[in-house]
Amino acid sequence: MPAVRPYAAAFAARFMLMLQYRAAALAGFATQCWWGAIKVMVFAAFYAAAPEAAGGSLTLAQTITYIWLAQALLALVPWGGDPEIGQAVRTGAIGYDRLRPLDTYAWWYARSAAWMTARALPRAALMLAFAGVLLPLIGLETWSWRPPANMTQAALFAVSAVLLVALSSAWVMLLNLAAVRLLDERGVNAMTSSVIIVFSGNLLPLPLFPEWIQGFLFVQPFAGMLDIPVRIYSGALTDGQALTGLALQAGWTAIFIALGRAWMHGVMGRLQMQGG
């Protein structure tokens, strides 16, 4: 498919470039491992002190797996726009992308997906080795990252993880376009990161919120960026609920891509290059 080849090459080039930052991957793993351990201890104490309040939605084993997997996938959560696009806006290098005989949206989308995926994979592998292999070996299986319940859940999680990358990349594209429109990405990034940390389930697993808000939390778009894949993996979402979660991820991805393409058409139509 020659039409897809430039975008696949853009993805591969950015992916290989980001893999070179091994020290950043190790530092990210150490930080996420530390925070993951703290959260595991906090939730273990919570379940021990108030099992009637914590039980029902997630077991302690599912919550611990939720925390480790959420830490492993942290780089796939779109905390902000692509820093490369923000820099291109400030320097005027965005003009080079507009001169390429390619679809600018698809070009930026492929590079943003590669940027997040390459940062997440090394950290996820290290996190799995630590929480999924090392902890059981040293007798801390209770606090370890458990495997999926069965092959069906594993297969559904694989599909959900792909949709997670697609959905997060579509959201990053909206943040990129906000940077182009506002000429500075810092304000938008600061606002969206505080929303995403709550509604993705990173701060607190969404099933532990009050029952009356569970319906909204499940259908809102940020759940597909972390909560739905993790709950599918841990077996908290099965059968019809898991398929509904996948449909929500795909639906929000399509909506964000449609919004992004329409916004890009308007923003680029008014783009002015200044300086010389």
Side-chain angles (χ1 to χ4, degrees):
M1 300 179 65
V4 181
R5 192 173 301 163
Y7 309 106
F11 180 93
R14 187 83 184 276
F15 187 87
M16 296 303 295
L17 176 66
M18 295 303 300
L19 285 182
Q20 297 181 23
Y21 299 107
R22 299 181 183 87
L26 288 172
F29 161 70
T31 304
Q32 292 161 215
C33 192
W34 175 256
W35 282 108
I38 292 176
K39 293 179 74 172
V40 165
M41 289 186 282
V42 168
F43 280 107
F46 172 61
Y47 273 75
E52 69 284 353
S57 52
L58 287 178
T59 65
L60 176 59
Q62 287 175 326
T63 302
I64 291 175
T65 298
Y66 190 114
I67 292 168
W68 288 126
L69 190 51
Q71 291 298 314
L73 301 178
L74 191 65
L76 291 178
V77 179
W79 304 98
D82 187 342
E84 189 177 79
I85 301 301
Q87 184 178 13
V89 169
R90 290 191 295 273
T91 62
I94 190 175
Y96 295 117
D97 288 341
R98 296 300 293 162
L99 291 175
R100 300 180 196 276
L102 298 169
D103 180 350
T104 304
Y105 184 92
W107 178 265
W108 285 3
Y109 185 96
R111 291 183 60 79
S112 296
W115 168 62
M116 290 191 295
T117 307
R119 291 165 59 231
L121 284 180
R123 303 179 192 194
L126 291 170
M127 191 67 71
L128 177 61
F130 170 76
V133 178
L134 180 61
L135 290 184
L137 288 178
I138 61 176
L140 296 176
E141 187 174 1
T142 304
W143 289 14
S144 67
W145 174 346
R146 309 294 179 85
N150 50 55
M151 290 303 297
T152 301
Q153 292 302 115
L156 290 172
F157 169 73
V159 176
S160 185
V162 173
L163 291 172
L164 159 62
V165 175
L167 176 57
S168 293
S169 300
W171 179 255
V172 166
M173 282 301 300
L174 293 178
L175 299 180
N176 291 340
L177 291 168
V180 177
R181 181 66 180 85
L182 301 173
L183 305 181
D184 195 319
E185 77 281 14
R186 289 172 293 186
V188 174
N189 289 346
M191 292 177 61
T192 57
S193 61
S194 59
V195 174
I196 287 177
I197 193 173
V198 174
F199 290 100
S200 67
N202 179 265
L203 181 66
L204 179 70
L206 296 186
L208 299 183
F209 278 79
E211 186 64 30
W212 59 268
I213 201 174
Q214 286 299 319
F216 166 74
L217 292 176
F218 184 60
V219 301
Q220 50 89 22
F222 304 114
M225 299 175 187
L226 187 63
D227 178 73
I228 289 175
V230 174
R231 289 170 67 187
I232 289 176
Y233 177 92
S234 64
L237 288 180
T238 58
D239 303 328
Q241 287 183 317
L243 294 177
T244 302
L246 296 179
L248 286 169
Q249 286 183 290
W252 280 116
T253 302
I255 290 172
F256 285 162
I257 289 177
L259 289 174
R261 283 194 169 280
W263 197 11
M264 172 165 274
H265 179 73
V267 168
M268 292 303 177
R270 294 190 295 271
L271 183 66
Q272 295 182 4
M273 304 298 296
Q274 299 179 356

